Amino acid sequence: MDGPTKLQRKPLTSPRRGRPLKSEAEERQNRLLDYALLRFQEEGYRNVSVDDLASGFGVSKSTIYLRYGSKAGLMRAAMLRATPLATVPMSKIDIDPARCPVDVLRDFARVFSRYVNDPPIRALWQAVTEARGEIASWETIVAEETEKIILPVALYLKYLRVAGLADIDDEHQVASYFFDLTGSGFGRFLGPPLDKEQQSASNEAAIAFFGRGIGLKI
């Protein structure tokens, strides 16, 4: 492979200023996951074997099997590691009741947009889509990780319902719809990423449509 790719320039495990240093073993495991994602992105999940990953990264095949159990297990580990890239910034959104609900929803939408347009995340979900048939508990895993991501939105929607600011029957179902509506469905992952202006316009249209759908009173 000639020259660095986007995935190499911006790994899922990019160090952030102020975070404690990880152990050498953990860093190496994270570099292996990033390397695997790069190979899956460039060559396709089904075209890359555990032998390819082991020899390319410089570890034994038994090390990968011991740590992850299989190639599909490696993909699952990469997906679990990616979830905080959405949940951490969502936990920092200001949901003060004094704020306009549209502004809060706009903040949630921006997090979703950054998440789905992040090159390593796109590479992850492209590979995961190929790997679906090899992960027996796939539907459960996806549901669990999606729940973690949409939970802050569901809790905020519950507040809107209780406060009489929206007509909502099932906060979790509606939060999942908002997640998809603002660009985080599989179609957006597999299609070309939007530029900033396109994403902003898409989010504004989605929020307006969503607000009408839940009878948002502001």
Side-chain angles (χ1 to χ4, degrees):
M1 292 173 283
D2 298 326
T5 67
K6 281 187 177 181
L7 191 58
Q8 288 171 307
R9 290 196 298 269
K10 185 185 177 188
L12 245 114
T13 52
S14 297
R16 306 283 177 84
R17 187 174 300 175
R19 287 189 181 180
L21 294 175
K22 296 182 175 67
S23 68
E24 184 177 342
E26 185 179 359
E27 287 286 4
R28 185 165 174 77
Q29 292 298 330
N30 285 333
R31 288 197 301 271
L32 172 59
L33 292 178
D34 287 331
Y35 174 75
L37 285 178
L38 174 64
R39 294 290 300 271
F40 295 153
Q41 180 190 36
E42 293 184 339
E43 303 170 46
Y45 174 81
R46 291 190 172 87
N47 296 327
V48 179
S49 67
V50 173
D51 281 331
D52 294 332
L53 295 175
S55 61
F57 188 72
V59 296
S60 67
K61 185 167 63 172
S62 61
T63 296
I64 295 179
Y65 281 120
L66 181 64
R67 177 75 177 181
Y68 302 107
S70 64
K71 187 172 68 167
L74 188 151
M75 278 301 308
R76 182 178 185 276
M79 184 178 69
L80 297 179
R81 188 180 54 143
T83 301
L85 295 181
T87 57
V88 171
M90 288 186 70
S91 70
K92 299 177 181 179
I93 290 175
D94 181 5
I95 57 173
D96 190 302
R99 290 193 72 199
C100 173
V102 171
D103 289 337
V104 177
L105 292 174
R106 186 177 288 120
D107 286 346
F108 282 129
R110 285 181 183 135
V111 171
F112 291 156
S113 299
R114 287 195 297 269
Y115 180 75
V116 303
N117 281 293
D118 185 272
I121 296 295
R122 297 178 70 81
L124 167 66
W125 284 99
Q126 287 169 7
V128 159
T129 300
E130 284 191 68
R132 292 185 70 170
E134 297 186 29
I135 303 179
S137 55
W138 178 253
E139 298 302 329
T140 299
I141 295 168
V142 171
E144 289 173 351
E145 296 311 297
T146 301
E147 174 64 19
K148 293 175 186 176
I149 293 173
I150 69 171
L151 182 59
V153 178
L155 292 175
Y156 184 69
L157 292 176
K158 181 178 180 180
Y159 153 71
L160 293 179
R161 176 179 61 79
V162 173
L165 297 175
D167 301 319
I168 299 169
D169 294 326
D170 185 328
E171 293 89 5
H172 287 265
Q173 184 178 18
V174 176
S176 180
Y177 175 64
F178 181 77
F179 182 42
D180 288 336
L181 190 63
T182 52
S184 46
F186 276 144
R188 187 64 60 82
F189 276 114
L190 298 178
L194 301 179
D195 62 31
K196 289 184 179 180
E197 289 187 5
Q198 290 173 325
Q199 188 64 69
S200 178
S202 175
N203 283 346
E204 289 303 311
I207 290 170
F209 180 78
F210 181 77
R212 291 194 297 271
I214 64 173
L216 187 62
K217 304 171 181 65
I218 54 173

